[in-house]
Amino acid sequence: MYVYLIVNCLIFLSSSLCENLFCRFKGTSKYATLLYKFWCVILLFLSAFRYGIGTDYWVYYDEYLNAAWRHADLNLISYTIHFLKICNLPFQIIIIICTCMFLLPVMYLIRQLCNNYKLFSLGVLMGLSYYVYSYNIFRQYAAIGLMLLFLYKWVFTLEKRYLFALIIPVLIHPSSLVAILVYCIIDKVKVKYKILQILAILGIAVFLFVPVSVGSWIIREGFQLFSNTIYGGYSTSQDTAFLMRIYNQNMEFVPKMLIIPFLIALPIMLNRVNESRNDLKRSSEMDKKQIKLLYVQEFFLKIYFCYFLLMSLKIGSEIVTRFLMYFSIVSVWAIPMLLNSTDINKWIKRILILFIIVVSVRYHILWLNGNGCEAYPYQNIFSIILR
């Protein structure tokens, strides 16, 4: 019943001991990588061998049993399910595949971008609900994982093969095409620090003073284009209560209290990363790998800044909620990047860490009380076999 909460708390405890979140423990940092690998294996095992949990599990299992195409469509997951059925292979294989498509890229990116806080990054992955959500809508999260991996590789290496590889997440979930285009546009836009500050101020003003119903009404009218598509059910909102429910769903991914601090902090961080990269370029001992890494960090921080700008608009639309998942996942790397910054006071860092931990526990309790979109209680295939 409390599997997610217990694992999440143990990951944060491991991070506190090995990554010096609150105070220094001599001789423990050498165990960080070992513990990171251990918890990665645990999370992979829990997800890959789950049974009958998550909102989409029985939907796709029914497709597997009946060999019936959903309105979905022509996507790689549905084709794989039908292939498994034809070959008399177990349905669990598709769960294992989707788990690996999401978690392995995320864990790889944590190693590349958050080496000083990799355990804490795993805690954020679980605590801010991404891990549980990957049980519920596993096809979209499989696309998210591969999309982020290939975008990272493309930004870091500029090799065209990774751009071509982006067709795979699009074939898994077509909505990733829009996310990829938005990511690429954000990557190419060079925004000055003053412009970022102005955008941050506007975002804060909208968040504080514009009612949720205004943003919801605008987006509802704009998304009438989707009314006759398979996404039509996500694009409409019937009343204010529904708008507030959807808005609160958006806020599940990040606490409301973080919107204003992050809109203030992220422009400062982006400016610092940009300055560091320019200093390295001018240096006589230019480290090309470090420059590329700073460029990747700037890329993800820009994505995260845009995410908070979107959140400040208080848009109450379920199709937007689903789309924001492509951006909110960047929390897993962006928060540790902020913690790694020398521009932020250590006490502010500790308050942020404590706040994330408290919010994570709160989310697990809320999931427990609300059945966690059918992800609670946890059960796996072995418990079913041994019954």
Side-chain angles (χ1 to χ4, degrees):
M1 186 70 175
Y2 299 98
V3 171
Y4 309 110
L5 176 59
I6 292 169
V7 170
N8 205 175
C9 289
L10 288 174
I11 290 173
F12 279 133
L13 178 61
S14 301
S15 179
S16 299
L17 293 173
C18 298
E19 295 173 340
N20 304 315
L21 295 185
F22 299 105
C23 56
R24 292 196 171 275
F25 295 93
K26 290 185 179 180
T28 58
S29 58
K30 60 186 177 183
Y31 299 112
T33 300
L34 182 62
L35 280 170
Y36 176 74
K37 291 177 180 178
F38 170 77
W39 287 118
C40 284
V41 170
I42 295 297
L43 294 183
L44 282 164
F45 176 85
L46 290 175
S47 181
F49 297 104
R50 67 187 186 269
Y51 173 81
I53 54 176
T55 51
D56 278 358
Y57 186 96
W58 294 113
V59 172
Y60 288 100
Y61 187 68
D62 181 64
E63 180 177 335
Y64 170 79
L65 287 180
N66 300 318
W69 293 99
R70 298 176 63 242
H71 64 277
D73 32 2
L74 309 168
N75 62 74
L76 282 182
I77 301 302
S78 287
Y79 279 118
T80 305
I81 289 172
H82 282 258
F83 175 79
L84 295 177
K85 179 67 174 179
I86 291 169
C87 298
N88 290 318
L89 295 171
F91 174 75
Q92 196 65 31
I93 290 175
I94 200 66
I95 302 297
I96 295 171
I97 290 171
C98 289
T99 291
C100 292
M101 284 180 174
F102 172 61
L103 287 179
L104 290 180
V106 168
M107 290 167 177
Y108 172 79
L109 290 176
I110 288 174
R111 284 292 302 271
Q112 299 301 310
L113 299 173
C114 313
N115 201 40
N116 293 334
Y117 291 100
K118 48 186 176 286
L119 282 167
F120 187 75
S121 297
L122 275 186
V124 172
L125 175 69
M126 284 203 76
L128 294 188
S129 301
Y130 308 114
Y131 184 74
V132 173
Y133 261 95
S134 73
Y135 285 21
N136 294 326
I137 40 179
F138 55 79
R139 183 166 68 94
Q140 183 173 352
Y141 269 84
I144 289 172
L146 293 178
M147 182 196 81
L148 290 169
L149 176 64
F150 296 141
L151 281 172
Y152 165 80
K153 286 291 190 179
W154 173 61
V155 171
F156 193 80
T157 66
L158 296 179
E159 294 181 14
K160 291 183 179 179
R161 58 177 173 162
Y162 294 114
L163 273 180
F164 290 114
L166 286 168
I167 192 66
I168 299 174
V170 173
L171 292 174
I172 292 172
H173 206 285
S175 64
S176 62
L177 175 61
V178 181
I180 290 166
L181 294 174
V182 173
Y183 266 65
C184 291
I185 291 169
I186 292 172
D187 175 51
K188 296 302 178 184
V189 172
K190 306 297 180 184
V191 183
K192 294 182 179 179
Y193 178 54
K194 288 185 178 179
I195 302 297
L196 291 174
Q197 286 180 310
I198 293 170
L199 289 173
I201 292 169
L202 288 173
I204 292 169
V206 170
F207 178 70
L208 291 176
F209 303 113
V210 176
V212 61
S213 56
V214 174
S216 301
W217 179 83
I218 293 171
I219 205 70
R220 182 183 64 209
E221 295 302 314
F223 275 128
Q224 287 301 314
L225 295 171
F226 292 91
S227 59
N228 295 321
T229 71
I230 60 173
Y231 299 104
Y234 297 122
S235 63
T236 58
S237 304
Q238 301 301 322
D239 50 41
T240 304
F242 182 80
L243 297 177
M244 290 303 298
R245 180 177 69 80
I246 297 301
Y247 172 59
N248 287 327
Q249 284 180 2
N250 280 338
M251 290 303 178
E252 284 174 0
F253 293 103
V254 62
K256 298 176 189 178
M257 290 175 63
L258 286 183
I259 289 180
I260 294 175
F262 272 50
L263 282 176
I264 294 170
L266 285 169
I268 298 171
M269 270 291 296
L270 281 164
N271 187 53
R272 174 61 67 184
V273 169
N274 188 46
E275 287 178 351
S276 298
R277 193 174 74 251
N278 290 335
D279 289 342
L280 276 174
K281 286 180 178 178
R282 290 191 292 266
S283 173
S284 56
E285 299 179 1
M286 187 172 63
D287 187 341
K288 291 184 178 180
K289 186 175 181 180
Q290 185 63 25
I291 290 172
K292 287 181 178 180
L293 187 60
L294 286 169
Y295 184 75
V296 170
Q297 288 180 348
E298 182 185 24
F299 172 65
F300 280 115
L301 288 171
K302 281 196 295 186
I303 298 296
Y304 206 43
F305 179 72
C306 291
Y307 168 65
F308 276 103
L309 280 179
L310 285 169
M311 292 299 290
S312 70
L313 298 177
K314 298 185 282 194
I315 298 169
S317 169
E318 198 156 347
I319 196 170
V320 175
T321 302
R322 293 288 294 266
F323 183 67
L324 283 177
M325 293 175 185
Y326 289 103
F327 297 86
S328 62
I329 187 66
V330 179
S331 302
V332 175
W333 307 286
I335 292 175
M337 284 179 195
L338 290 173
L339 296 177
N340 210 34
S341 171
T342 55
D343 296 321
I344 301 177
N345 181 277
K346 67 177 182 179
W347 288 105
I348 295 177
K349 291 181 183 179
R350 289 171 181 173
I351 291 170
L352 175 60
I353 289 167
L354 184 61
F355 185 71
I356 294 295
I357 293 172
V358 170
V359 166
S360 298
V361 173
R362 174 180 171 270
Y363 279 155
H364 285 297
I365 293 171
L366 289 175
W367 282 118
L368 280 168
N369 293 335
N371 195 30
C373 291
E374 301 177 19
Y376 286 84
Y378 177 81
Q379 58 181 359
N380 58 43
I381 56 173
F382 304 107
S383 62
I384 302 300
I385 292 171
L386 294 173
R387 280 181 182 175

